[in-house]
Each structure stands twice: as structure tokens, then as C-alpha cells.
Amino acid sequence: MNNLDGNKVKETYKDAYSYINKVLDVIQKADILPDEAQWITKETINGFKEYVNPGFLEYRKTVTLDSQFAAVEWSDSGCCFKDVNGKEYIDCLGGFGIYNVGHRHPKVVKAVEHQLKRQALHSQDLLDPLRAMLAKILAKITPGDLKYSFFTNSGTESVEAAIKLAKMYSERNTFIAATRGFHGKSLGSLSGTAKSAFRKPFLPLIPGFRHVPFGDIDMMRKTFESFALVGEDVAAVILEPIQGEGGIILPPENYLKEVRALCDEYGALFILDEVQTGMGRTGKMFASELYGVVPDILCLAKALGGGVMPVGAVVAKEKVFKNFFANPFIHTTTFGGNPLACAAAIATIQVLIEENLPERAAEVGDYFLTRLKECAAEYKDIIMDVRGKGLMIGIEFHNNEIGYEFSKGMFNEGVLVAGTLINSKTIRIEPPLTIAIDEIDKVVSAIHKVLAHLKNHSI
């Protein structure tokens, strides 16, 4: 027993204490032995089955075939991660978009380590400096006159805060979202999310949300007109600049500008959910810059923490955010904006600027997209479309089964990809923005091999 005589441990906790010691012993090791790897794999499979959720084992069946060979991730760096047995994978999933600066970027890790040595969390009563400093930095780098920030731990929390801000500002209850949109799964953000499988078990959700087809400006205009006629004026429109979970769906030219104009005409706010598109992913620091629009509220998360800490933010114009001034406790979160998270976010922004990663995403993304379109031209019977901006790319197959088999084949070739949550036949390609050209070439080579296999087996 560590630091405690086993005889002094209460009988109630003896099993748990012994297990804890074994787990902590494994965690602190730089390298693990084969028998330890086997134990970790067995414990992981059993833990998910008995104590987490056995549904994950079925959902991730391409990597959990059995307790002997299931892929259990263990370490990461750069653009890759390794499983517990030491096999390396090129990461083209990017944790659904969190690893923009790569896995464990040294500068982000260093900032968190330095802050951890001084103070991990704040007292909740005194003023914490890094929150103020990060908010100032975001005001400097976000588009237009976005100014004030509220910090969260995740994307869905950022959307929740945005909904509250819009309600307080407008004193209205009607929101327009888009079909195929994804904004999170807590009750407020789920009201904006469009997939029925996520929504139906929890109906009724927050009232007042209406969904219109993404990219259809005529339908958006008619919806505004209809709500105005019946006295249910719109509080806000919430959209992703590029739909991520919807299948990497790009907006038509000028669509976002026209939505912005409609919001201005009807006195509604424009909320852009850049949880997945933000922090350089699409070739600009924020995708709104690609399309020349400035939202009233901007939602961020995922890559903001540099793949090291969970960090989210909602950044709003002063005219919107000032409704939180009178009572700053009207919307709070215990861990949002904590010192470790803010240190990670500040260092992440430094890396994005210093290494020109948004610009690099545009350049490398063009190369990747060109190579993928060449694949699509060769395998038209398998691939419907390849599309994207920067390093936010989607490969759409003719059906879900092909998408699944492609993902499985790529995993066997040492490349991690996955489908999008709302359009599962579209496989996302979202590697770190630091991915090297030779790594892209390896991925494309694997894609050719997997597609040839699928074609030969008439999948």
C-alpha cells in the first residue's frame, strides 16, 4: 500500500484502495510492459462494459474486436497517437476538431505546467488574472466589435450561454436554426441541434426553436416574415458557418452575408457557432472571416484549449453582453475560465499566430483536398463528393455502410477517421493543422489502398 498501512484502510475501501494504487502505478510509468498493456486493455473493455456504457463497445466495434486486440489509446504527440501496445496512428479525426495545434504541443503543455505549479483552480471570490487576460486577447483577435467573453468548459455550454444572452438582449423567445445543424446535446443547445435521434427522447425541448434548410436564403426570409406577421419576432439565428456534424456542408456564396442582413432588418441577433470551425481550422482564425460576416455572438470551444485543457468561450458585442453586467452571477460555471484552462488557451493562440497555422491550414488543406478529389475521380462508384475548407474536409460516400467500411479499413492502415454525427456517410478529415505533407501523402496512399479493397469486394 502507498503512504498508508493496509491494516488502517477501512474494510469498505480496501478493494478500491488496492485498485487505485495499481492504476496510479501504471499512470506514472513512462513505458509499460506487455503484460501491463494486456491488463490495461482488459480493464478498459470490462470497465466500459460494466461501469461506463457497453454501448460504446458496439459503437466503436472497429477498434474493440476483443479484449486481446482492442485498440486502447495511451499516448500522443505531434499529429499522431499510440495505442497501449505501441502501434502509432496518424490522427485525421483530430478529436472532432480539438487538436488544431497538434497533440500535446510543448508550449501549451509548458504553460499549463507553469500555472499548475503556482495555482490550479481559483478561489471563486478573488479576481483571477488569466481570465481577464484571455478575454482581452479574444477581443483583439475576434472579428469586428466582439468584446466581452464568458468562459465555459465545452461547446454546448458556450451555446447555452449564447441562447441566454440572446433572450436577455431581445426579450424574445424565437430562434431559427438549420437542418443538419449541430450545437450540442444539453437541453438548450439540443433545441438548436437538428438530428431527430438526439432530440426525440428528450422532447419537449426549449420552446421557440424552428429549423430551416441550411443555405436556403429564401426559406430563411419567409420564416422571418412569417414570425413577424404572427407576433413571434426572432431573437436570434444560430448557424455554423460550415456545418460540421452535418457532413462538412459549405454555405452558398453570400448566404451568411444575407442572413446577417436579415437579422439586422428584423432586429434579431446573429449567433455563429464556431466550436468546430474556429481557431484556424478553415484557413482563417475564424470561419466568419472567410465569409465576411461579423456575428453578434461567437461560440468557441474544442481547439481553444490546444488539445490539452477543456476550454470554451462565448464572445459577444458589448450591446449584447451588457445585460449580464447588473448581475454577473445570473449565469456562471464553477470551472469555466479556470487558471489552467486560460493558460492553455493563451498559449494555444500564441502558437496559432506564431506558426501561422490558419494560413498553413489553407495551403495544406488545398493540397489535401486536391489529392482527395483525385481519389474521388478514380472511385466514382464509391465516393459521391469531396469538399471542405482548409483542413475541415469531408468525404461523402454513397451510403453509411461504405463509410463504415472505409473508416474500419483506414484504422487498420494506421489512420484514424470517423463519420460525422448527423450525416454518418460523410467521413471527416480534420487532422492537426501541423500535419506534414509526407503524413498527408501516407494518408492518401492508405485511402487508395482501402478504396481499391472496397471496389474489389463490391462494397
Side-chain angles (χ1 to χ4, degrees), residues 48-49 455-456:
F48 270 88
K49 182 180 179 181
K455 184 174 182 179
N456 292 335

mmCIF file of all heavy atoms in Angstrom, residues 48-49 455-456:
data_model
loop_
_atom_site.group_PDB
_atom_site.id
_atom_site.type_symbol
_atom_site.label_atom_id
_atom_site.label_comp_id
_atom_site.label_asym_id
_atom_site.label_seq_id
_atom_site.Cartn_x
_atom_site.Cartn_y
_atom_site.Cartn_z
ATOM 1 N N PHE A 48 -15.732 -0.335 -19.490
ATOM 2 C CA PHE A 48 -16.788 0.214 -20.345
ATOM 3 C C PHE A 48 -18.032 -0.671 -20.288
ATOM 4 O O PHE A 48 -19.157 -0.173 -20.266
ATOM 5 C CB PHE A 48 -16.289 0.364 -21.784
ATOM 6 C CG PHE A 48 -15.664 1.694 -22.073
ATOM 7 C CD1 PHE A 48 -14.309 1.900 -21.844
ATOM 8 C CD2 PHE A 48 -16.413 2.752 -22.535
ATOM 9 C CE1 PHE A 48 -13.718 3.130 -22.091
ATOM 10 C CE2 PHE A 48 -15.849 3.987 -22.795
ATOM 11 C CZ PHE A 48 -14.490 4.179 -22.567
ATOM 12 N N LYS A 49 -17.812 -1.970 -20.279
ATOM 13 C CA LYS A 49 -18.942 -2.902 -20.288
ATOM 14 C C LYS A 49 -19.755 -2.825 -19.004
ATOM 15 O O LYS A 49 -20.990 -2.817 -19.030
ATOM 16 C CB LYS A 49 -18.432 -4.328 -20.505
ATOM 17 C CG LYS A 49 -19.533 -5.381 -20.570
ATOM 18 C CD LYS A 49 -18.938 -6.771 -20.791
ATOM 19 C CE LYS A 49 -20.030 -7.837 -20.839
ATOM 20 N NZ LYS A 49 -19.451 -9.196 -21.031
ATOM 21 N N LYS A 455 -13.613 -1.531 -53.648
ATOM 22 C CA LYS A 455 -14.071 -1.713 -55.021
ATOM 23 C C LYS A 455 -13.987 -3.197 -55.421
ATOM 24 O O LYS A 455 -14.907 -3.753 -56.033
ATOM 25 C CB LYS A 455 -13.238 -0.862 -55.973
ATOM 26 C CG LYS A 455 -13.712 -0.928 -57.414
ATOM 27 C CD LYS A 455 -12.940 0.039 -58.285
ATOM 28 C CE LYS A 455 -13.450 0.022 -59.719
ATOM 29 N NZ LYS A 455 -12.712 1.000 -60.587
ATOM 30 N N ASN A 456 -12.889 -3.826 -55.077
ATOM 31 C CA ASN A 456 -12.700 -5.239 -55.429
ATOM 32 C C ASN A 456 -13.684 -6.160 -54.733
ATOM 33 O O ASN A 456 -13.990 -7.231 -55.237
ATOM 34 C CB ASN A 456 -11.267 -5.676 -55.100
ATOM 35 C CG ASN A 456 -10.245 -5.010 -56.005
ATOM 36 O OD1 ASN A 456 -10.560 -4.595 -57.127
ATOM 37 N ND2 ASN A 456 -9.003 -4.892 -55.537
#
